[in-house]
Amino acid sequence: MSSPTGSVGARNKLSLLVLGLCWFAILCDGLDTFVYGAALPDMLADKSFGLDPGTAGDVGSIATFGMLLGALGAGPLADRVGRRATLIGGVALFSIASLACAIAPQVAVFAAARFVAGLGLGGLIPTAISMVMEFAPIGRANLMVAAVMTAHQTGGILASGLGIVFLDGRGWRFLFALGALPLLIAVPVMLKYLPESLSYLVARGRVDEAHALAARHGVTVADFTSERSGGAASVLASLRKLFVGSRKYTTLTFWVASFAGLLLVYGVATWLPVMMRSTGYELGSALSFLLVVNLGGIVGLLIAGRAADRFGPTRIAIIWFALTAVGISLLAVKMPLPATYFLVFLTGVWLFSAQTMVYASTAAHADADFRATAVGWTSGMGRFGAVFGPWLGGVLVASGQPKWGFAAFAIAAVVAVVAMSSIAIRERGRRPAGVAGPALALH
């Protein structure tokens, strides 16, 4: 049933409120993801700290392992205790751990703090994606997902910009100290303004609470709960739903694609400045490349989001991963600086939005009562790739072969193309004749 005309504005206002608050949460994730890569050259040069390239790769992997555990736990947790509490708790935990990184006296303490930060950050992306999709206006779910994920690249731009401005004068510790600011800024705002997901409340049987919340925002529950819901379920029940019928195949395939995609994202985020320096660029240019690749990521996400609402996130992921493989391969070739900047920008356009489309496609295949679990476990299993990517880059740099990182990351993009293509084939087989557009839910 359509909503009254007067409630459309309130519905859109609520959608934008949720989008804005989730955007800020993902900004924290993006800042953390890229601040380590931005600070890494200065950290390696800080002989008093004692970090070497091999250990740097291990530290990067430890942080992403924490994100892996955080993502695996936060998805079921968000489906159990709520999206709101999971998001706020993750931001608070990350902020405290970032401050611990700034004051760490030795590498081991720094690595432990990075692990704890990863626990807090791991659940931010899957939980935020679930929320924005559940509050999205009809026909704009993929665009909303892409919009919220621009925060990740904005965090990357912020990290590289802060590195350019502060590394020489204040050092790498100052960059990590800034990561504590969300505890003072974001958490109080989210506590006051972030609503719980109406779809989640209905799915958990808290219908009266959902109606009361909707009334406070001038909307109706029906505005946001038109999809099928399975009712309340335990964590294990939510996990079992990922393997019912044909979901077993699609779940495992999404995990493979996410593994390859996050290997790309975190490998490039950690080692792009170092790899670009290996091809003959100065440190300032190498940090600028990190900024430019994230600018490309923002543009790519907005393009991919609109395209995915029309053609489906699965198809867009395939095209974007294929283009990423080409772009990363070409980065290994020394070119004139303007041409390199342009190629880095294009690679950013494709790289980050490709992985986001994996999340969007996963969410499109899940119902509200286990959506956070589905996206969380796709993100969590993909974090194995996020662990492997920084480690692999560290091994290649330590062995004196940083240029091989370009080939390794290009291969990962090809693996993602194959995985998402198999999903697309199954979607096409289940789509009724004459029907085009976004991915169908494969139940």
Side-chain angles (χ1 to χ4, degrees):
M1 180 180 297
S2 301
S3 302
T5 303
S7 70
V8 173
R11 182 177 61 189
N12 291 339
K13 182 179 179 181
L14 180 57
S15 298
L16 291 176
L17 172 65
V18 172
L19 175 64
L21 293 173
C22 289
W23 190 93
F24 197 92
I26 301 303
L27 178 72
C28 300
D29 187 293
L31 177 62
D32 178 84
T33 298
F34 290 95
V35 74
Y36 184 57
L40 192 53
D42 192 62
M43 295 178 70
L44 292 172
D46 184 358
K47 301 305 180 183
S48 64
F49 191 57
L51 184 68
D52 58 69
T55 305
D58 293 338
V59 171
S61 294
I62 288 171
T64 51
F65 183 69
M67 293 181 187
L68 183 158
L69 297 180
L72 294 181
L77 183 66
D79 282 331
R80 188 68 178 174
V81 305
R83 322 295 198 226
R84 182 177 183 272
T86 304
L87 271 177
I88 296 173
V91 173
L93 183 60
F94 150 74
S95 300
I96 295 170
S98 186
L99 181 60
C101 288
I103 62 176
Q106 55 186 331
V107 174
V109 177
F110 179 87
R114 290 287 291 168
F115 174 80
V116 175
L119 290 175
L121 290 165
L124 294 185
I125 287 179
T127 308
I129 287 176
S130 297
M131 283 203 76
V132 298
M133 287 198 78
E134 289 161 12
F135 280 98
I138 296 173
R140 291 291 181 266
N142 293 304
L143 181 59
M144 289 280 283
V145 170
V148 78
M149 288 302 293
T150 62
H152 198 267
Q153 271 48 69
T154 304
I157 293 171
L158 182 60
S160 54
L162 291 173
I164 293 171
V165 172
F166 292 116
L167 273 179
D168 285 341
R170 295 182 176 269
W172 61 268
R173 293 182 183 276
F174 183 75
L175 297 187
F176 287 98
L178 293 176
L181 291 179
L183 183 65
L184 303 176
I185 300 173
V187 169
V189 174
M190 295 173 75
L191 283 170
K192 184 174 182 179
Y193 294 108
L194 183 66
E196 183 57 89
S197 164
L198 296 172
S199 295
Y200 163 79
L201 292 174
V202 172
R204 302 300 299 176
R206 295 158 59 181
V207 178
D208 291 342
E209 187 177 344
H211 282 291
L213 177 60
R216 287 200 299 272
H217 290 277
V219 298
T220 66
V221 172
D223 289 337
F224 301 98
T225 58
S226 59
E227 62 183 290
R228 180 171 70 251
S229 173
S234 67
V235 170
L236 290 178
S238 294
L239 289 173
R240 282 196 295 268
K241 289 183 179 182
L242 301 181
F243 296 93
V244 173
S246 63
R247 286 200 191 110
K248 176 169 60 177
Y249 176 87
T250 54
T251 293
L252 294 175
T253 308
F254 280 132
W255 289 0
V256 171
S258 185
F259 173 90
L262 286 179
L263 188 157
L264 272 167
V265 168
Y266 283 86
V268 170
T270 302
W271 291 108
L272 181 63
V274 176
M275 290 192 303
M276 296 305 289
R277 287 190 75 185
S278 74
T279 62
Y281 298 99
E282 298 297 327
L283 174 59
S285 296
L287 288 174
S288 297
F289 290 142
L290 196 59
L291 187 150
V292 170
V293 77
N294 283 286
L295 282 174
I298 292 176
V299 174
L301 282 163
L302 296 177
I303 295 172
R306 292 183 64 86
D309 279 329
R310 181 173 180 181
F311 302 107
T314 306
R315 294 179 182 178
I316 302 306
I318 294 168
I319 297 170
W320 260 233
F321 274 124
L323 292 172
T324 298
V326 175
I328 289 179
S329 298
L330 291 175
L331 285 178
V333 180
K334 181 68 182 295
M335 292 177 280
L337 191 58
T340 304
Y341 275 123
F342 183 65
L343 180 58
V344 169
F345 176 83
L346 288 179
T347 302
V349 167
W350 305 318
L351 168 63
F352 301 106
S353 48
Q355 176 62 22
T356 299
M357 290 301 101
V358 174
Y359 294 145
S361 186
T362 301
H365 286 73
D367 296 328
D369 57 324
F370 67 96
R371 180 173 293 123
T373 298
V375 179
W377 274 68
T378 294
S379 174
M381 299 307 291
R383 296 287 179 176
F384 283 106
V387 171
F388 186 68
W391 173 85
L392 177 61
V395 169
L396 293 173
V397 171
S399 64
Q401 300 292 332
K403 288 187 177 181
W404 280 101
F406 295 110
F409 297 144
I411 291 171
V414 172
V415 171
V417 169
V418 173
M420 295 305 293
S421 295
S422 68
I423 295 288
I425 291 170
R426 291 177 66 84
E427 288 177 357
R428 187 162 55 246
R430 289 172 176 264
R431 184 178 290 117
V435 175
L440 300 175
L442 305 182
H443 299 312

